[in-house]
Amino acid sequence: MLKLCRKYLNWIQNSVFEGEISEVRLHELLISAKKIMKEESDSIIIFKGRDIRWTEKQIVGRERSNIDIFL
Amino acid sequence: MLKLCRKYLNWIQNSVFEGEISEVRLHELLISAKKIMKEESDSIIIFKGRDIRWTEKQIVGRERSNIDIFL
């Protein structure tokens, strides 16, 4: 799954990816992801910000490590 | 760290939390987090959406498991 998601988005931490992606490409990613995930136990959570101007990213500590918070 | 973050936000997956929080409470959380994290190796990444109307959350598969993507 990591390899798949990295084709579409930037890996930032553990199981977390970020990036700008079209609805078409997102749809493509999810179709591929569903083929390799177990939907009864795995999950993909997508937070969409409609406009990058309304989202802000703040990093405390080292850029690549293990905790993330979404407000 | 998990226990600390759970006092302020909702745990959704692995090291990922979400929720609405005031700047004051966020500041309080980060002060406490800095006391227990190793800033040279650990990191906290905060994605802030200024208005809940401009963010959308989509879940594929089971609600609580292991993958998340931020767009």
Side-chain angles (χ1 to χ4, degrees), chain B residues 2 7-8 10 15 18 21-22 24-25 28 31 37 40-43 50-51 53-55 57 59 65 70:
Chain B
L2 189 70
K7 279 192 225 156
Y8 292 83
N10 310 312
S15 59
E18 70 169 345
I21 188 171
S22 66
V24 170
R25 292 252 307 152
E28 201 183 283
I31 288 173
M37 67 191 280
E40 66 288 352
S41 58
D42 296 338
S43 64
R50 277 189 228 156
D51 190 320
R53 285 172 300 171
W54 304 113
T55 53
K57 179 179 166 184
I59 296 172
S65 181
F70 300 87

Side-chain angles (χ1 to χ4, degrees), chain A residues 1 5 9 12-21 23 26 29-30 34 37-51 53-71, chain B residues 1 5 9 12-21 23 26 29-30 34 37-51 53-71:
Chain A
M1 186 64 84
C5 292
L9 294 161
I12 53 168
Q13 195 182 81
N14 297 357
S15 57
V16 182
F17 300 81
E18 69 170 345
E20 291 188 43
I21 188 169
E23 284 294 332
L26 176 59
L29 167 58
L30 293 179
K34 283 180 182 171
M37 70 190 279
K38 290 182 236 91
E39 286 197 54
E40 66 289 351
S41 59
D42 296 338
S43 62
I44 293 173
I45 303 176
I46 299 156
F47 288 89
K48 294 183 193 175
R50 277 189 228 157
D51 189 321
R53 285 172 301 171
W54 306 113
T55 52
E56 185 194 327
K57 179 179 167 184
Q58 177 187 350
I59 296 172
V60 175
R62 206 169 74 86
E63 177 100 4
R64 276 256 159 99
S65 181
N66 58 356
I67 304 160
D68 25 55
I69 299 174
F70 301 88
L71 316 177
Chain B
M1 186 65 82
C5 291
L9 295 162
I12 50 169
Q13 195 181 81
N14 297 357
S15 59
V16 181
F17 300 81
E18 70 169 345
E20 290 189 45
I21 188 171
E23 285 294 330
L26 175 61
L29 167 58
L30 293 178
K34 282 179 183 173
M37 67 191 280
K38 290 182 238 88
E39 287 197 54
E40 66 288 352
S41 58
D42 296 338
S43 64
I44 294 174
I45 302 175
I46 300 157
F47 288 90
K48 294 183 192 175
R50 277 189 228 156
D51 190 320
R53 285 172 300 171
W54 304 113
T55 53
E56 186 193 327
K57 179 179 166 184
Q58 178 186 350
I59 296 172
V60 174
R62 208 171 73 86
E63 178 101 5
R64 277 250 159 101
S65 181
N66 59 358
I67 303 159
D68 26 53
I69 298 173
F70 300 87
L71 316 177

